[in-house]
Amino acid sequence: MSYQYGRGQSEFTEKVVHLNRVAKVVKGGRRFSFSALVVVGDQNGRVGAGLGKAGEVPEAIRKAVESAKKHLITVPMVGTTIPHEIRLKKGAAKVLLKPAAPGTGIRSGGAMRAVVELSGVKDMITKSLGTNNPVNTVRATIAALQALQTADSIAQARGKPVEEMERLIRRGKKPEPEAAVPAPTVPDEARAEEPVS
């Protein structure tokens, strides 16, 4: 269940991923309140999620949007996809994110799709391997996107040049080893003079 929800002119796009009605039983009957899970993103590498609770749906959504904007993360990207594959477990949620070739699109479903679309990633394959609870799945997806690292960041942390890190992570044919220097040849006359043991 995903709704596009926009208010006024804002750099962020908001998407309501899940609405939940909660009943509290009191002496006079039941009291209903609502919780809303909202994902916000600028579709350019920044994304966040928030949970809001209130007695009315619009107020719950407003609170969720405010919370999401306070907890924005920046997603590292290589072209239109993510730098590497990642598998992450957070609570009961397990998620798998894989980079994809340009033109693949977003192969994702449910709560994960909203996070991936609003983050600005265009080509990615995702799979939720654990719970189907949207709140936990969204939190795990955001944690996985936050844990991604580029070759630049790893090179900087290790104090090595970026070219060396890119060479290490690049898949494909390994560079040819340098040609070995041939051993000097021994003339036939010298071989004949050697004693045979």
Side-chain angles (χ1 to χ4, degrees), residues 95-179:
V95 294
L96 169 68
L97 308 179
K98 290 174 81 173
T104 305
I106 297 169
R107 292 192 184 171
S108 178
M112 293 178 78
R113 187 175 193 90
V115 177
V116 173
E117 280 179 349
L118 294 183
S119 70
V121 178
K122 301 282 187 292
D123 305 297
M124 194 203 294
I125 298 167
T126 71
K127 183 71 182 162
S128 176
L129 305 167
T131 180
N132 59 1
N133 180 324
V135 177
N136 291 338
T137 306
V138 164
R139 283 180 179 160
T141 308
I142 286 183
L145 289 171
Q146 198 170 16
L148 291 169
Q149 289 183 307
T150 58
D152 296 351
S153 63
I154 294 172
Q156 198 172 4
R158 294 186 187 178
K160 293 190 173 187
V162 179
E163 295 78 32
E164 188 179 337
M165 298 309 301
E166 285 176 346
R167 187 171 46 80
L168 289 172
I169 61 169
R170 196 179 300 125
R171 291 185 186 150
K173 195 175 172 186
K174 291 186 178 175
E176 293 289 326
E178 291 181 21

Side-chain angles (χ1 to χ4, degrees), residues 13-174:
T13 308
E14 304 159 9
K15 201 172 253 193
V16 179
V17 177
H18 187 69
L19 275 173
N20 191 29
R21 190 180 76 169
V22 182
K24 180 184 179 185
V25 179
V26 293
K27 192 175 178 182
R30 293 193 186 101
R31 285 201 185 146
F32 294 104
S33 65
F34 298 89
S35 71
L37 175 66
V38 176
V39 176
V40 301
D42 63 355
Q43 297 181 343
N44 197 22
R46 288 169 73 210
V47 69
L51 192 65
K53 298 176 185 180
E56 299 295 328
V57 174
E59 184 65 11
I61 291 171
R62 187 190 62 76
K63 284 183 180 179
V65 169
E66 281 181 12
S67 174
K69 285 181 179 175
K70 283 180 194 169
H71 301 102
L72 288 171
I73 63 157
T74 304
V75 180
M77 287 194 280
V78 176
T80 58
T81 189
I82 54 175
H84 57 87
E85 183 179 317
I86 187 164
R87 193 181 288 241
L88 190 128
K89 183 176 188 295
K90 187 175 177 71
K94 293 179 201 155
V95 294
L96 169 68
L97 308 179
K98 290 174 81 173
T104 305
I106 297 169
R107 292 192 184 171
S108 178
M112 293 178 78
R113 187 175 193 90
V115 177
V116 173
E117 280 179 349
L118 294 183
S119 70
V121 178
K122 301 282 187 292
D123 305 297
M124 194 203 294
I125 298 167
T126 71
K127 183 71 182 162
S128 176
L129 305 167
T131 180
N132 59 1
N133 180 324
V135 177
N136 291 338
T137 306
V138 164
R139 283 180 179 160
T141 308
I142 286 183
L145 289 171
Q146 198 170 16
L148 291 169
Q149 289 183 307
T150 58
D152 296 351
S153 63
I154 294 172
Q156 198 172 4
R158 294 186 187 178
K160 293 190 173 187
V162 179
E163 295 78 32
E164 188 179 337
M165 298 309 301
E166 285 176 346
R167 187 171 46 80
L168 289 172
I169 61 169
R170 196 179 300 125
R171 291 185 186 150
K173 195 175 172 186
K174 291 186 178 175

